[in-house]
Amino acid sequence: QSALTQEASVSGTVGQKVTLSCTGNSINIGSFAVGWYQQISHGAPKTVMFGNSLPSGIPDRFSGSKSGTTASLTISGLQPEDEADYYCSTWDYSLSAWVFGGGTKLTVL
Amino acid sequence: QVQLVESGGGVVQPGGSLRLSCAASGFSFSNYDMHWVRQAPGKGLEWVAFIRYDGNNKYYAASVKGRFTISRDNSKNTLYLQMNSLRAEDTALYYCAKAIAVAGTSHFDCWGQGTLVTVSS
Protein backbone atom coordinates (compact mmCIF):
# COMPACT_ATOMS: atom_id res chain seq x y z
CA GLN A 1 0.00 0.00 0.00
CA SER A 2 1.42 3.35 -1.09
CA ALA A 3 1.94 6.23 1.33
CA LEU A 4 0.33 8.57 -1.19
CA THR A 5 -3.07 7.86 -2.76
CA GLN A 6 -3.80 8.48 -6.42
CA GLU A 7 -6.76 7.58 -8.61
CA ALA A 8 -6.17 4.30 -10.43
CA SER A 9 -7.42 5.69 -13.70
CA VAL A 10 -8.63 8.94 -15.24
CA SER A 11 -9.79 9.58 -18.77
CA GLY A 12 -10.53 12.60 -20.90
CA THR A 13 -11.03 13.67 -24.48
CA VAL A 14 -8.65 15.71 -26.59
CA GLY A 15 -8.81 19.36 -25.58
CA GLN A 16 -10.43 18.67 -22.24
CA LYS A 17 -9.03 19.71 -18.86
CA VAL A 18 -8.27 16.88 -16.46
CA THR A 19 -7.01 16.93 -12.89
CA LEU A 20 -5.09 14.15 -11.18
CA SER A 21 -4.95 14.12 -7.42
CA CYS A 22 -2.45 12.85 -4.87
CA THR A 23 -3.46 12.60 -1.21
CA GLY A 24 -1.12 12.18 1.72
CA ASN A 25 -0.90 13.53 5.24
CA SER A 26 0.60 16.33 7.29
CA ILE A 27 4.08 14.80 7.42
CA ASN A 28 4.49 14.40 3.68
CA ILE A 29 2.32 16.43 1.28
CA GLY A 30 1.18 18.75 4.07
CA SER A 31 4.78 19.81 4.71
CA PHE A 32 6.69 19.38 1.45
CA ALA A 33 6.36 20.15 -2.23
CA VAL A 34 5.20 17.37 -4.56
CA GLY A 35 6.82 16.18 -7.76
CA TRP A 36 4.93 14.63 -10.68
CA TYR A 37 6.39 12.08 -13.07
CA GLN A 38 5.07 10.86 -16.41
CA GLN A 39 5.76 7.35 -17.70
CA ILE A 40 4.70 6.52 -21.24
CA SER A 41 4.31 2.85 -22.17
CA HIS A 42 6.61 1.68 -19.36
CA GLY A 43 9.49 3.81 -20.66
CA ALA A 44 11.76 5.86 -18.42
CA PRO A 45 9.93 8.34 -16.17
CA LYS A 46 9.95 11.99 -17.15
CA THR A 47 9.52 14.83 -14.68
CA VAL A 48 6.59 17.11 -15.53
CA MET A 49 6.23 19.20 -12.36
CA PHE A 50 8.13 20.16 -9.20
CA GLY A 51 5.63 21.72 -6.80
CA ASN A 52 4.29 24.60 -8.88
CA SER A 53 7.36 24.78 -11.12
CA LEU A 54 7.42 23.54 -14.68
CA PRO A 55 10.67 21.86 -15.79
CA SER A 56 12.28 23.10 -18.95
CA GLY A 57 10.65 21.67 -22.06
CA ILE A 58 7.36 20.72 -20.44
CA PRO A 59 4.37 22.44 -22.12
CA ASP A 60 2.53 25.00 -20.05
CA ARG A 61 -0.72 23.07 -20.30
CA PHE A 62 0.64 21.22 -17.26
CA SER A 63 0.19 22.92 -13.89
CA GLY A 64 0.52 21.89 -10.26
CA SER A 65 -1.17 22.95 -7.06
CA LYS A 66 -1.61 21.87 -3.47
CA SER A 67 -4.27 22.33 -0.82
CA GLY A 68 -3.58 20.95 2.62
CA THR A 69 -2.61 17.31 2.23
CA THR A 70 -3.72 16.93 -1.39
CA ALA A 71 -1.67 17.86 -4.44
CA SER A 72 -3.05 18.12 -7.95
CA LEU A 73 -1.68 17.96 -11.47
CA THR A 74 -3.90 19.65 -14.03
CA ILE A 75 -3.55 19.20 -17.76
CA SER A 76 -5.42 21.86 -19.71
CA GLY A 77 -6.05 21.07 -23.34
CA LEU A 78 -5.40 17.34 -23.18
CA GLN A 79 -3.35 15.92 -26.06
CA PRO A 80 -3.02 12.33 -27.32
CA GLU A 81 0.64 12.28 -26.29
CA ASP A 82 -0.36 12.93 -22.68
CA GLU A 83 -1.66 9.37 -22.36
CA ALA A 84 0.61 7.83 -19.74
CA ASP A 85 0.95 6.73 -16.15
CA TYR A 86 1.49 9.61 -13.73
CA TYR A 87 3.13 9.29 -10.33
CA CYS A 88 3.37 11.79 -7.49
CA SER A 89 6.12 11.82 -4.89
CA THR A 90 7.44 13.78 -1.95
CA TRP A 91 9.55 13.48 1.19
CA ASP A 92 8.00 11.84 4.22
CA TYR A 93 9.43 13.28 7.42
CA SER A 94 8.28 10.42 9.62
CA LEU A 95 9.64 7.67 7.37
CA SER A 96 12.77 9.64 6.44
CA ALA A 97 12.10 8.45 2.93
CA TRP A 98 10.77 9.61 -0.39
CA VAL A 99 7.34 8.14 -1.06
CA PHE A 100 5.40 7.62 -4.27
CA GLY A 101 1.74 7.30 -5.05
CA GLY A 102 0.52 4.14 -6.74
CA GLY A 103 0.16 5.95 -10.06
CA THR A 104 -2.76 7.10 -12.22
CA LYS A 105 -3.31 5.72 -15.70
CA LEU A 106 -4.46 8.61 -17.87
CA THR A 107 -6.33 7.59 -21.00
CA VAL A 108 -7.01 10.06 -23.80
CA LEU A 109 -10.22 9.06 -25.53
CA GLN B 1 22.38 17.64 -22.15
CA VAL B 2 22.05 15.53 -19.02
CA GLN B 3 22.67 11.86 -19.63
CA LEU B 4 22.45 9.05 -17.09
CA VAL B 5 23.38 5.54 -18.18
CA GLU B 6 22.82 2.64 -15.82
CA SER B 7 24.61 -0.68 -16.10
CA GLY B 8 25.38 -3.79 -14.08
CA GLY B 9 21.98 -5.43 -14.06
CA GLY B 10 21.50 -9.12 -14.72
CA VAL B 11 20.20 -12.39 -13.35
CA VAL B 12 21.36 -13.38 -9.86
CA GLN B 13 20.34 -16.12 -7.46
CA PRO B 14 18.58 -15.33 -4.19
CA GLY B 15 21.15 -14.35 -1.59
CA GLY B 16 23.55 -13.13 -4.23
CA SER B 17 25.08 -9.72 -4.85
CA LEU B 18 25.19 -7.24 -7.69
CA ARG B 19 26.66 -3.75 -8.15
CA LEU B 20 24.86 -1.25 -10.33
CA SER B 21 26.57 1.76 -11.87
CA CYS B 22 25.20 5.00 -13.26
CA ALA B 23 27.50 7.03 -15.50
CA ALA B 24 26.57 10.71 -15.51
CA SER B 25 27.39 13.36 -18.09
CA GLY B 26 26.17 16.76 -19.25
CA PHE B 27 26.15 18.36 -15.79
CA SER B 28 28.45 18.97 -12.86
CA PHE B 29 27.92 15.61 -11.16
CA SER B 30 29.82 16.50 -7.98
CA ASN B 31 27.38 19.34 -7.25
CA TYR B 32 24.20 17.25 -7.29
CA ASP B 33 22.48 14.82 -4.98
CA MET B 34 21.44 11.53 -6.60
CA HIS B 35 18.78 8.83 -6.16
CA TRP B 36 18.09 5.23 -7.09
CA VAL B 37 14.46 4.35 -7.86
CA ARG B 38 13.14 0.95 -8.91
CA GLN B 39 10.07 -0.47 -10.61
CA ALA B 40 9.06 -4.09 -10.26
CA PRO B 41 7.42 -5.70 -13.31
CA GLY B 42 3.91 -4.33 -13.73
CA LYS B 43 4.19 -2.22 -10.57
CA GLY B 44 4.69 1.42 -9.67
CA LEU B 45 7.80 3.42 -8.81
CA GLU B 46 9.57 2.77 -5.51
CA TRP B 47 12.32 5.00 -4.13
CA VAL B 48 15.40 2.99 -3.06
CA ALA B 49 18.25 5.24 -1.91
CA PHE B 50 19.62 8.80 -1.86
CA ILE B 51 23.11 10.24 -1.53
CA ARG B 52 24.21 13.83 -1.00
CA TYR B 53 26.47 15.51 -3.57
CA ASP B 54 29.52 14.97 -1.33
CA GLY B 55 28.59 11.45 -0.24
CA ASN B 56 28.23 12.48 3.38
CA ASN B 57 24.49 11.82 3.85
CA LYS B 58 22.63 8.73 2.71
CA TYR B 59 19.05 7.56 3.09
CA TYR B 60 17.56 4.14 2.32
CA ALA B 61 14.09 2.68 1.91
CA ALA B 62 13.16 0.36 4.77
CA SER B 63 12.89 -2.53 2.30
CA VAL B 64 16.61 -2.34 1.40
CA LYS B 65 18.24 -0.89 4.52
CA GLY B 66 21.12 -3.04 5.71
CA ARG B 67 21.37 -4.86 2.38
CA PHE B 68 21.98 -2.10 -0.17
CA THR B 69 24.69 0.59 -0.12
CA ILE B 70 24.65 3.72 -2.24
CA SER B 71 27.95 5.41 -3.06
CA ARG B 72 29.52 7.71 -5.62
CA ASP B 73 32.87 8.53 -7.17
CA ASN B 74 32.80 12.19 -8.14
CA SER B 75 36.16 11.85 -9.90
CA LYS B 76 34.53 9.33 -12.27
CA ASN B 77 31.08 10.98 -12.44
CA THR B 78 29.58 7.68 -11.40
CA LEU B 79 26.90 6.61 -8.94
CA TYR B 80 26.78 3.07 -7.52
CA LEU B 81 24.35 0.76 -5.79
CA GLN B 82 25.83 -2.28 -4.09
CA MET B 83 23.08 -4.85 -3.57
CA ASN B 84 23.67 -7.78 -1.21
CA SER B 85 21.44 -10.56 0.12
CA LEU B 86 19.18 -10.16 -2.88
CA ARG B 87 15.61 -11.43 -2.72
CA ALA B 88 13.04 -12.28 -5.34
CA GLU B 89 11.16 -9.09 -4.43
CA ASP B 90 14.20 -7.02 -5.46
CA THR B 91 13.51 -7.98 -9.08
CA ALA B 92 12.95 -4.67 -10.85
CA LEU B 93 14.16 -2.12 -13.33
CA TYR B 94 16.55 0.17 -11.43
CA TYR B 95 16.73 3.84 -12.43
CA CYS B 96 19.22 6.43 -11.30
CA ALA B 97 17.91 9.97 -11.06
CA LYS B 98 19.54 13.35 -10.65
CA ALA B 99 18.03 15.29 -7.78
CA ILE B 100 16.83 18.87 -7.79
CA ALA B 101 15.80 20.96 -4.81
CA VAL B 102 12.61 22.96 -5.31
CA ALA B 103 10.75 24.78 -2.57
CA GLY B 104 12.97 23.15 0.04
CA THR B 105 12.20 19.62 -1.16
CA SER B 106 14.41 17.30 -3.18
CA HIS B 107 12.73 15.88 -6.28
CA PHE B 108 13.75 13.62 -9.12
CA ASP B 109 14.89 15.75 -12.04
CA CYS B 110 16.38 13.64 -14.84
CA TRP B 111 16.19 9.88 -15.17
CA GLY B 112 18.25 7.19 -16.84
CA GLN B 113 16.80 4.38 -18.95
CA GLY B 114 17.23 1.80 -16.21
CA THR B 115 18.99 -1.52 -15.77
CA LEU B 116 17.09 -4.74 -15.11
CA VAL B 117 17.83 -6.88 -12.07
CA THR B 118 16.27 -10.34 -11.92
CA VAL B 119 16.61 -12.40 -8.75
CA SER B 120 15.75 -16.00 -9.51
CA SER B 121 17.05 -19.48 -8.91
Side-chain angles (χ1 to χ4, degrees), chain B residues 46-59:
Chain B
E46 179 190 14
W47 171 76
V48 173
F50 164 89
I51 186 168
R52 283 263 184 241
Y53 66 96
D54 58 2
N56 282 342
N57 279 68
K58 304 174 185 180
Y59 293 94

Side-chain angles (χ1 to χ4, degrees), chain B residues 39-108:
Chain B
Q39 187 170 34
K43 302 294 186 182
L45 299 175
E46 179 190 14
W47 171 76
V48 173
F50 164 89
I51 186 168
R52 283 263 184 241
Y53 66 96
D54 58 2
N56 282 342
N57 279 68
K58 304 174 185 180
Y59 293 94
Y60 297 94
S63 58
V64 307
K65 200 166 188 177
R67 300 187 300 121
F68 289 13
T69 301
I70 189 171
S71 63
R72 64 192 297 159
D73 186 337
N74 286 344
S75 68
K76 295 182 178 178
N77 290 343
T78 303
L79 175 73
Y80 301 102
L81 186 68
Q82 177 66 44
M83 305 186 295
N84 299 330
S85 303
L86 283 162
R87 307 166 179 166
E89 53 265 35
D90 295 318
T91 294
L93 190 59
Y94 285 73
Y95 296 101
C96 67
K98 172 179 167 284
I100 185 169
V102 174
T105 308
S106 178
H107 300 281
F108 313 102

Side-chain angles (χ1 to χ4, degrees), chain B residues 2-6 22-24 27 34 96-98 110-113:
Chain B
V2 172
Q3 193 167 13
L4 299 167
V5 179
E6 302 93 337
C22 171
F27 66 103
M34 297 291 293
C96 67
K98 172 179 167 284
C110 300
W111 303 69
Q113 291 301 306

Side-chain angles (χ1 to χ4, degrees), chain A residues 27-29 32-33 89-99, chain B residues 47 59 105-106:
Chain A
I27 54 175
N28 45 57
I29 292 179
F32 302 98
S89 176
T90 191
W91 171 252
D92 187 292
Y93 182 80
S94 174
L95 297 173
S96 291
W98 280 263
V99 291
Chain B
W47 171 76
Y59 293 94
T105 308
S106 178

